């Protein structure tokens, strides 16, 4: 991926976190929307399932 595309991606992720209320998953780094399950604990569904198995 070239630098310009990578910079745009980082900027869009920062915008979503800062202004739209998204949070970053503590397990994998995926963005979680404010209305999705797991937003309150900052962990996506896949990481929650993985934690429960362990």
């Amino acid at each position: 991926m070239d630098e310009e595309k990578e910079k745009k991606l980082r900027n869009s992720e920062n915008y979503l976190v800062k202004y739209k209320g998204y949070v970053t998953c503590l397990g994998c780094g995926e963005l979680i929307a404010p209305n999705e399950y797991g937003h309150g604990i900052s962990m996506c569904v896949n990481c929650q399932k993985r934690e429960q198995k362990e």
Side-chain angles (χ1 to χ4, degrees):
M1 185 180 297
D2 64 7
E3 280 187 42
E4 189 66 30
K5 286 183 182 179
E6 191 172 320
K7 185 177 179 181
K8 284 182 182 180
L9 180 62
R10 273 188 269 119
N11 287 342
S12 66
E13 288 177 357
N14 288 336
Y15 171 78
L16 289 173
V17 170
K18 257 185 170 174
Y19 300 107
K20 293 293 185 176
Y22 282 65
V23 293
T24 305
C25 176
L26 297 174
C28 65
E30 290 285 323
L31 291 178
I32 305 169
N35 58 350
E36 285 184 20
Y37 182 75
H39 183 268
I41 59 171
S42 298
M43 221 175 205
C44 69
V45 176
N46 292 334
C47 289
Q48 287 179 37
K49 287 179 183 177
R50 191 172 346 148
E51 285 290 318
Q52 289 175 353
K53 285 181 183 177
E54 294 176 355

